Amino acid sequence: MTSQQIDSESIRLPQAWQGKAWLLLAVGLALVLASGFVFMVSGLEVRKIFWHSYLANFMYCMTFGIAAMFFVLISFLTRAGWNASIRRWAEIISMTIPWMGLLFIPILGLVITGQGLSLYEWNTTPQALVENHQPVVAEKVIYLNGTAFAIRAVICLVAWSAIVSYYYSLSRREDETGDVNLAIKRQLYSGPLVMFFALSVSMASFDWIMSLDGDWYSTAFGVYIFSGSMFGFFGLMIASLMTLQSHGKLNKYVNVEHFHDLSKFQFGFTMFWSYIAFSQMMLIWYANIPEETAWFKNRLVNGWEYLSYASIPIHFVIPFLGMMSHHVRRHRWGAFFFACWALVAHWLDITFMVMPNAGPVSAPLVIGHVLCGFGMFSIFCAMILQRAADVPLVALKDPRLPEGLSYANPIL
Amino acid sequence: MSAHKPQPVAPAKPKCFGWLAEFDNEHDLMTAARKVRDSGYTKTDAYTPFAVHGIDEALGIKPTILPFIVLSFAFCGLFLAIGFQCWSNGYDYKYIISGKPFLSIPAFIPVTFETTVLFSTVSTFFAMWLLNRLPTYSNPLFANPKFDRVTQDRFFLHVDSRDKYYNRESVRELLSSTNPLSLEEVIEDSTPDKLPTVVWMGVATLIVGSLVPLTIVANMRAGKSELPRWHVFFDMDFQPKKKAQSISTLFTDNRSNRPQVEGTIARGQLVEQDPYYLGFDPSKQSSIEIPSAVKLVSAQDDPKADPKVESPKAPKLEGPVEDTKPAAESTEKPEAPSKEPVKVDKEKPAGKKKDTSKKAKAEPKGDDVKTADKPVEVKADGKKTVAEEKNPTATEEKKADAKKADAKKADAKKEEPAKDAPASSTKPADKAAPPTAVAPAAAGPNLPWLTDFPAEVSEEMLALGKAKFEITCSVCHGYAGAGDGLVHRRAEQLQQGYWLPPTSLHEQRIQDQAVGNLFYTISNGKGKMASYAAVLTPKERWAIVMYVRALQRSRNAKIEDVPVDQRAKLEEVKKAD
Amino acid sequence: MSSISISSNPREIDNTVDIPGRRAPLITGKQTLTSVTDLVCSVAENPQPTLWYVLFGFSLLTAIMFLTCIGYLILTGVGIWGNMNPVFWAWPIVNFVFWVGIGHAGTLISAILFLFRQNWRTSINRSAEAMTIFAVVCAAIFPGIHVGRAWLAFWLVPYPSLNLWMWPQFRSPLLWDVFAVGTYATTSLLFWYMGMVPDIATYRDRAKKPISRFIYGLLALGWSGSARHWMRYEKAYTLLAALAAPLVLSVHTVVSFDFAVSQLPGWHTTIFPPYFVAGAIFSGFAMVLTLLVPVRRIYKLENLITLRHLDNMNKIILATGSLVGLAYATEFFMAWYSMNNNEVFCFTNRAFGPYWWAYWTMVSCNVISPQLFWFKKFRTTPWMMFIVSIFVNIGMWFERFVITVTSLSRDFLPASWGYFRPTMYDGLMFFGSFGVFMTLFLLFCRFLPVIALSEIKWTMSVEAHRDAHLGGHGHDHH
């Protein structure tokens, strides 16, 4: 607490921005509806495509919150000090989970009432599945059925909401008291919670995305989603913090060292994602078992092959080569460019996982999906703004803040 | 290396390399370094026990180009690896493995990655030393005993006399103003900086010596030699074993492979010895015929000596279905009395299961005979000759040629093999059976058939037999065993002239057969009927035999066979008729 | 800390508690540059304790026994092992994967923890790296002698042969292994040696005997501690760390590919790469503990390898152990979820088939025993963690055994099912590999710097600097 003056102006968003949140929400909802409209007038199978697009964009925003939760938990688990000044921002992002949960309700409703066949191919009766030549999926009905799916989803969403709310509330309480025990408490719970996180994220990714193809399975799928989410999350952190700084916020608390570190993480997760994605693809390609290769086969036809092949440079080669040098990572525009790149790449990655199930690539599908994406992301930003508007953007009484502000990366 | 040892050599006028200031912590060093840098000296260096961060800036050291060297090596590794893999596996040495395309990019990625990393790390390591001009074993600083502590707990700042602004006095003043622990001039290292002769001679000898075996190997691989090869791994080249058909001096009969010992069963051969799996009792074969082993041995001793032995053997072996395992085993000896039987002999072991070997053997034979085979003839023949029946699997899909050839062969041998009655019930094909053939009407191999079921006759077994019969047998033999299965009816409908109707199981001939014989037929096939050993376990086969017996009984039942309480009912039906 | 107060060892100081904002010191006992140097150098400079000679003699004999067995194997053939149809990959491969797994901790500590700025690694990285290299040596032996004609093992290298006119098949995962392990061994060796050069220079400058001064002088390459050298050295170290971090992941990934590219139930599953890596880190840290708990005691290094280091390693063991447990669970779930009869059978067979004992040994050692580390008492009491680490080593060997043998012994054709039984030579050679490992490690303790002196000095300097700025106690543990 020695060096910095508390500068309330730079750590608070102006009140006016809260109004912007509502505007964003309205725009977002309108865009999501507009996407539905695009699908409808295009004469495509509107329900199927709309729900796939909805789910993909929902997952895109949801994974930011999940990754932010992991970032907060792991910071406490490892007693990290370097990120003390940016952890509040991650907490604010993680606090979107409870609200994002609300956006999952339409899908839950669909699935519980058994109307979700256009989204989840298992969401029908076993007889219908057998008749539809999917006896294998019919066998799994004890796990893949509307009720069980809903129970698991609710458990995950409620538990995550509870975790992030708890961490957030302690963090807020720390703002007032500066009590060290609050940090110790969070450190204590972080271990088991990280374990729970691993389990629940695996389960959620199996349920929410993998089971779109009822008979496809990959044990690494949870890790795959996780790695992509972290990549996108670090991009979001860098891009959003830089945007705040360009509005004159946080300039004293977030410096080039933080961006360098975040960028390094983003770089690391580019590699980690590639590693997991390659391993998953290679093993399935090599073993060549029909029920496994079907998933990739779907993604190599109907126009999706362009996205599939493009994701190699987009998600790996370009960010990898581009961010290799610390000059880029420490360069303001360099880091910002690749942060935005990550946001797009992550969106394409989720699209790659979900959308080929909706049908062949077509102009209305792309336009509608992009609209829906912008809409969902606007809603997501509205959630962040709403939360951020009335809290300090830095946990000023965090005991590790001085350490977080004084670290300098060795530049060799 | 010997440079470290300050030796009492008295130089006339040692050359000086500037001043060396000693500090005991990095902060003093940093302060001094900044001072020296700000005074404009560039040929300066700090020496520290660990990497002091910030000293580069304090001394004005420029960043290294090491990363670029590493990056270029990394790309070399990358392209070399991917290029080499594509060239070697996709072009130069095409070889199918795992059903993968020759150019399998995903499969090339791991090696590409590893090679890239290998090139990068090795280049990092060597480029770093190279840029540092290391190793160097002679350094004037080492001459100062105080400098030994640089790797432990002391920090040194050196201003080189080769700096263009160097002035001995002013540098000394500058450095003393930084309060060093000590300040000394760097004196030229007076110790010899050459390697001691012993050392370099030793190293050279080692290097040369290590090349000798390599040279020898290279020479031997490239050159030719008249000498026999070395057997380094003697026991792999000469294993303590006897190969089949080689001569052994250990046994009186000079054979290396031994006939089976009386009363024993070789491991894994229970199936070939136990009546349960055969349908007959091999141990009783001697009561019917001369044991094969005896025949064989005597035949070997003198092929022509014992016609009495010879004669029963030949026909028996000729007999298509009757060549039994035990006989087959013992007939593997090449030596045999006459040409013809031997030929057949050799076919035996394989012939039982594999028609292909039979076929292959038979074809040249057919060519030899060069008889114009008329289809009609074949047809006629086919009904009765061994040839067809010899190969249980010789069904329709078998090439006609092979059949003909077989038929010809059999004819040519003049061993009319018809002793084995065709399965067909329609043609009474029995021609003059050779005297040796056992000749009950329902001819089959002359074997000591089991007459009792080796398995318990039970309701359960009958049910199993019924189930299996209906699955496997009824298509030809019909559900009631009357030889009117669907396949037969279809063939009749199509008026297939060459169709051989399946046997009715109610024929007297079949009824007279022992259960073992029935079992044998199912196991090995007969005539056109294939072997069902592959799809039916022995237990199931016995169950089918039971069921067949039950079917037969059903047509010949007497009133006594009906349970007492049911008889009245039957009587009523009779009356009603 | 109660566990500390009952300890009879006066050097055992608890520095595991870390109040947020005030970092506990990484090394204890008011060390200075001089005292740290003396402490580390004393390991090699003082006469070795009797225990060293006893252990060394025993290890050397075991290693000689191992080499004898290899000779016998080469002269006789792999038939002396229990490998049989259908378990053609048995103990040799199990041992290979086991040792390679152990060989992951060293590079992980020096590379990945370095990138994460975990400065506590400086006390343990040197010995862990050494351990890595010795483990990789042991690992490389097994596939080398498993190829049958071991004297032709060089055919694995893609060299232009005038006699063969053939190239290795790069589409075969077994060849990937050659490259992965080869690259890993080379990189680890370079990394280890490069890290050691400044410390060897310390040994050189302190050496009394001319012969040791000469040899250390040769190995130190004329290192003088120049700031320019340090700058490039640090850059090279960072580069090597950045390269070794993905490398260390790739090595066990490639090992997992050996199994996972097949179609064998229980082998073919996409989580194998990350799961093998987690397992490797897990077993590697366990082996580091097994070695360092006695080493710090014997050489009185408790002030440098403090409870905090052990505590951190135990936490990593707990985390990776739980990850491995999660992977077991995922595999089981996915076997059911796939509704593939072969998968379902395979996993049922693992847990309840003829190898149930191996499976449950694995689960109890790997998943259950590290759960003890939830308790601080276990994380900070050396003898307790030593026992747990032994259990983890056992469990990780069994994990490889379970994966290799249960899947192979029950393949698609029930007709070829079998039950693997090791022979005496399987056992002797596995035991013998420990002899090689321990011999090398003991020699390392005797002659080379067991602790990265220059790095620990750097950490001390950084800590002191931060204390001055932040008013804490030591620093920098992220």
Side-chain angles (χ1 to χ4, degrees), chain A residues 191-204:
Chain A
L193 287 179
V194 165
M195 305 273 163
F196 172 77
F197 169 88
L199 195 67
S200 57
V201 166
S202 273
M203 192 168 80

Side-chain angles (χ1 to χ4, degrees), chain A residues 241-410:
Chain A
L241 286 171
M242 283 190 176
T243 312
L244 286 177
Q245 287 199 335
S246 67
H247 288 88
K249 307 293 168 193
L250 294 176
N251 283 321
K252 273 189 188 163
Y253 299 99
V254 185
N255 55 37
V256 67
E257 307 298 339
H258 295 113
F259 288 123
H260 188 185
D261 282 340
L262 287 171
S263 231
K264 276 196 275 190
F265 270 117
Q266 193 195 328
F267 178 68
F269 274 100
T270 312
M271 287 159 69
F272 188 63
W273 177 90
S274 318
Y275 161 61
I276 295 293
F278 170 73
S279 301
Q280 177 176 278
M281 189 283 295
M282 210 278 292
L283 292 179
I284 288 174
W285 169 80
Y286 205 108
N288 208 6
I289 298 174
E291 58 260 38
E292 291 185 353
T293 47
W295 195 80
F296 284 102
K297 181 74 191 163
N298 267 347
R299 278 146 188 79
L300 291 174
V301 291
N302 291 336
W304 293 111
E305 61 270 30
Y306 301 107
L307 175 60
S308 306
Y309 289 121
S311 59
I312 300 170
I314 290 176
H315 218 305
F316 173 60
V317 178
I318 294 173
F320 175 77
L321 292 178
M323 296 173 74
M324 206 191 283
S325 161
H326 70 248
H327 297 292
V328 176
R329 296 196 295 259
R330 291 178 77 85
H331 189 273
R332 199 168 176 83
W333 284 107
F336 185 74
F337 174 78
F338 282 106
C340 296
W341 185 281
L343 291 179
V344 176
H346 181 48
W347 184 78
L348 288 175
D349 187 33
I350 298 271
T351 303
F352 163 81
M353 284 182 236
V354 177
M355 291 310 284
N357 283 29
V361 174
S362 61
L365 183 142
V366 173
I367 296 167
H369 184 54
V370 171
L371 281 181
C372 186
F374 277 114
M376 198 66 86
F377 193 66
S378 306
I379 298 174
F380 176 73
C381 291
M383 291 171 184
I384 295 179
L385 274 188
Q386 174 65 24
R387 178 73 62 186
D390 57 349
V391 294
L393 300 178
V394 175
L396 283 177
K397 293 190 177 165
D398 190 304
R400 295 209 170 100
L401 190 60
E403 189 186 320
L405 293 181
S406 63
Y407 186 77
N409 280 297

Side-chain angles (χ1 to χ4, degrees), chain B residues 1 26 44-48 50-51 53 89 92-93 95 101 107 114 121 132 136-137 151-153 221 235, chain C residues 34 75 163 166-167 169-171 202 205-206 218 222 225-230 232 234 247 250 457-458 461:
Chain B
M1 45 230 24
E26 67 268 34
T44 54
D45 208 346
Y47 297 87
T48 54
F50 59 88
H53 284 184
N89 277 200
D92 190 50
Y93 182 56
Y95 186 82
E114 301 298 342
T121 52
N132 277 347
T136 167
Y137 292 106
T151 53
Q152 299 172 48
D153 51 3
R221 286 186 80 85
D235 63 344
Chain C
T34 321
L75 288 174
N163 295 1
M166 292 199 290
W167 295 109
Q169 279 306 321
F170 291 101
R171 287 159 292 164
T202 310
D205 292 343
R206 287 171 65 101
L218 207 61
S226 149
R228 284 186 174 74
H229 293 179
W230 273 120
R232 296 193 191 96
E234 288 257 284
L247 175 67
S250 83
K457 286 174 187 165
W458 174 79
S461 151

Side-chain angles (χ1 to χ4, degrees), chain A residues 78 140 219 275 286-287 292, chain C residues 171 253 263 268-270 337 478:
Chain A
T78 56
K140 305 179 194 178
T219 31
Y275 161 61
Y286 205 108
E292 291 185 353
Chain C
R171 287 159 292 164
T253 297
Q263 295 166 338
H268 177 67
T269 171
T270 51
Y337 182 86
H478 294 282

Side-chain angles (χ1 to χ4, degrees), chain A residues 2 77-82 122 136-137 139-144 180 183-184 187-188 191-192 195 198-199 202 206 210-211 213-221 223 261 264-265 271-272 275-276 278-284 286-289 291-292 326 399-400 402-403 406-410 412, chain C residues 16-23 115-118 171-173 176 230-231 234-235 238 242 246 249-250 253 256-257 260-263 268-275 277 308 311-312 315 318-319 322-323 326 329-331 333-334 336-340 343 374 376 379 466 469-470 475-478:
Chain A
T2 50
L77 183 64
T78 56
R79 306 176 186 178
W82 67 274
W122 45 263
V136 175
V137 184
E139 288 286 309
K140 305 179 194 178
V141 80
I142 189 170
Y143 183 83
L144 290 181
V180 172
I184 292 177
Q187 262 169 221
L188 193 66
M195 305 273 163
L199 195 67
S202 273
F206 293 160
M210 198 175 85
S211 79
D213 289 271
D215 48 6
W216 187 71
Y217 53 91
S218 165
T219 31
F221 202 75
V223 191
D261 282 340
K264 276 196 275 190
F265 270 117
M271 287 159 69
F272 188 63
Y275 161 61
I276 295 293
F278 170 73
S279 301
Q280 177 176 278
M281 189 283 295
M282 210 278 292
L283 292 179
I284 288 174
Y286 205 108
N288 208 6
I289 298 174
E291 58 260 38
E292 291 185 353
H326 70 248
R400 295 209 170 100
E403 189 186 320
S406 63
Y407 186 77
N409 280 297
L412 298 163
Chain C
T16 56
V17 183
D18 181 273
I19 299 160
R22 293 180 63 205
R23 299 288 185 193
L115 296 179
F116 281 118
R117 301 202 294 260
Q118 300 290 315
R171 287 159 292 164
S172 158
W176 306 346
W230 273 120
M231 189 261 306
E234 288 257 284
K235 186 78 205 180
T238 314
L249 257 65
S250 83
T253 297
S256 81
F257 284 167
V261 295
S262 72
Q263 295 166 338
H268 177 67
T269 171
T270 51
I271 206 168
F272 253 34
Y275 151 52
V277 171
R308 182 191 194 116
D311 185 40
N312 282 340
K315 284 178 183 166
L318 172 59
S322 305
L323 272 183
L326 180 69
T330 313
E331 275 190 322
F333 169 72
M334 220 32 105
W336 174 82
Y337 182 86
S338 71
M339 280 295 155
N340 178 330
E343 289 283 342
W374 285 110
K376 184 149 191 174
R379 291 205 307 267
R466 287 304 157 93
H469 273 249
L470 300 176
H475 128 278
D476 214 59
H477 162 267
H478 294 282

